[in-house]
Amino acid sequence: MSDPRAFTCPDYASDAFSDERKTFTDLGLTDGQAIAGLQATWKKANDLAILKWDNDVDAERAAAEAITLERLEAAALAEKLKEQDRIDAEKEDMRKHKSKYAVVHADLHIPDTEDHLVSPAIATKLKKWEYIPLYHFTNEGLDSTNYNPSAECNNIGKLIRNDDGSIEWLDVASAKSTSHVKQDKDLSINDFCVATPRFIQAMVDASWPEDRVDMFLQFWNNLQRHKWRGSRREVETRALLLYQHIERQKWHTRANSANPTTKLYSLAKIDEKILADCKLQVEADMRDELFQRGEVERVRLKI
């Protein structure tokens, strides 16, 4: 089909159209009027044909543009998905092989502080934001780990399934009995002060939520700034440790059973009433210890 604009009006005055002219002259029109009528009829039909032609061309152009746009969008989506797959693969590789992505900074020199490596079992608990005794971050706890990263491939271990269904390798050596681990309440106040900043750094390295890290930082700082921290009376320093031991365990128990809508309370502010109750408990325990050792005279003294 061709563009109707290319067509020309026939010569209705010629002998070839005498019959068409006769149709009009039989109605009483002159020959000139018949020719003018035939020309007007043709022009009207040609104008309609041009309009249809233009609409068809516009529709075809729109359809072609839509197909082109669809192909471009499909190509862009495919490229986006490809890039997302690359990013996801890189993130997964980074998760599995963090050391590969550590950046060397030429302006950083050998640090004057030591790294504190916990066992793989404790590292796994850190990743799950679980309760971990502070003992594992004391000097004694770190020394007892005897964890040598260079010998990891020689360790005997086993596969365990995590709560999210993932499979993880756990060294048997690091999963052995923890009967030697001291409870928080049995630490010295010095060990407590040594372990807490290491634990805070471990939380940050394990990507604990910022609000939890801030809460524990305030919680432990407030305990270390408490008036009993420097007390000469053992019962008061031990009360601080018992308070920390009980309240941290209670908080983790609640946090482990929480859901996204649960409002977790903060440990940051020290509850003096609970702390006083802890002091009474420590006094009773210390009296029992002295009685068992036969140190009756010390029992009569103010602990």
Side-chain angles (χ1 to χ4, degrees):
M1 184 176 179
S2 302
D3 186 346
R5 291 182 180 83
F7 301 156
T8 57
C9 183
D11 181 10
Y12 287 111
S14 66
D15 293 339
F17 293 96
S18 59
D19 291 339
E20 285 79 358
R21 291 196 303 274
K22 187 174 185 303
T23 301
F24 288 95
T25 55
D26 287 347
L27 295 176
L29 298 177
T30 65
D31 200 52
Q33 290 174 327
I35 293 172
L38 290 170
Q39 290 174 336
T41 300
W42 180 90
K43 186 177 184 307
K44 184 177 181 180
N46 185 254
D47 288 343
L48 292 175
I50 291 173
L51 180 62
K52 183 177 183 305
W53 170 268
D54 289 344
N55 289 338
D56 290 345
V57 169
D58 289 342
E60 290 177 3
R61 183 184 298 112
E65 290 175 353
I67 292 173
T68 301
L69 180 61
E70 184 177 346
R71 288 174 178 171
L72 290 174
E73 289 176 345
L77 179 60
E79 186 63 27
K80 183 177 180 180
L81 292 175
K82 182 180 178 180
E83 177 63 13
Q84 188 61 51
D85 288 343
R86 186 193 66 77
I87 293 173
D88 292 343
E90 185 175 277
K91 286 182 178 179
E92 180 64 15
D93 189 62
M94 186 179 296
R95 185 185 69 82
K96 292 180 178 178
H97 310 100
K98 294 183 177 64
S99 60
K100 282 174 52 178
Y101 296 87
V103 180
V104 175
H105 295 270
D107 57 331
L108 294 180
H109 304 292
I110 298 174
D112 55 5
T113 57
E114 60 177 327
D115 289 333
H116 305 293
L117 296 175
V118 295
S119 70
I122 298 304
T124 297
K125 284 181 172 290
L126 273 169
K127 293 177 184 177
K128 297 179 180 179
W129 311 341
E130 294 181 358
Y131 173 83
I132 301 171
L134 287 172
Y135 171 81
H136 293 287
F137 297 90
T138 64
N139 291 334
E140 179 184 337
L142 291 171
D143 291 342
S144 68
T145 299
N146 292 324
Y147 175 56
N148 182 3
S150 64
E152 184 173 353
C153 58
N154 298 321
N155 290 342
I156 299 174
K158 63 181 180 179
L159 292 172
I160 60 171
R161 183 178 294 277
N162 295 318
D163 295 338
D164 61 1
S166 62
I167 303 298
E168 186 169 358
W169 179 263
L170 182 64
D171 293 327
V172 170
S174 64
K176 63 184 179 181
S177 172
T178 57
S179 59
H180 69 286
V181 174
K182 293 180 182 178
Q183 298 186 65
D184 286 6
K185 65 184 181 66
D186 297 325
L187 296 176
S188 68
I189 195 70
N190 183 62
D191 279 341
F192 169 69
C193 293
V194 167
T196 50
R198 292 173 178 171
F199 204 156
I200 289 294
Q201 185 57 55
M203 289 178 180
V204 174
D205 294 342
S207 301
W208 281 43
E210 185 175 346
D211 60 340
R212 297 192 183 195
V213 176
D214 289 343
M215 179 195 71
F216 280 111
L217 180 61
Q218 294 179 51
F219 175 51
W220 287 327
N221 279 345
N222 288 337
L223 285 172
Q224 292 175 23
R225 290 199 300 263
H226 195 274
K227 61 183 179 180
W228 289 355
R229 161 66 180 83
S231 175
R232 294 175 179 272
R233 301 184 62 205
E234 183 183 357
V235 65
E236 292 179 341
T237 55
R238 286 180 59 175
L240 288 173
L241 294 170
L242 179 61
Y243 175 92
Q244 190 278 155
H245 172 87
I246 293 174
E247 294 307 314
R248 192 162 70 91
Q249 281 193 330
K250 284 168 55 179
W251 188 91
H252 272 283
T253 298
R254 180 173 178 82
N256 289 341
S257 61
N259 58 57
T261 62
T262 302
K263 293 183 178 180
L264 290 173
Y265 60 88
S266 172
L267 289 171
K269 184 178 180 181
I270 307 304
D271 190 313
E272 294 294 337
K273 182 179 182 303
I274 297 177
L275 182 58
D277 291 340
C278 289
K279 180 180 177 182
L280 294 175
Q281 180 62 51
V282 172
E283 287 177 340
D285 291 343
M286 290 179 69
R287 287 193 179 92
D288 289 343
E289 292 172 7
L290 293 173
F291 268 120
Q292 291 174 9
R293 294 202 300 264
E295 300 180 32
V296 180
E297 289 301 320
R298 287 192 60 191
V299 174
R300 294 195 184 99
L301 299 175
K302 186 175 183 181
I303 297 175

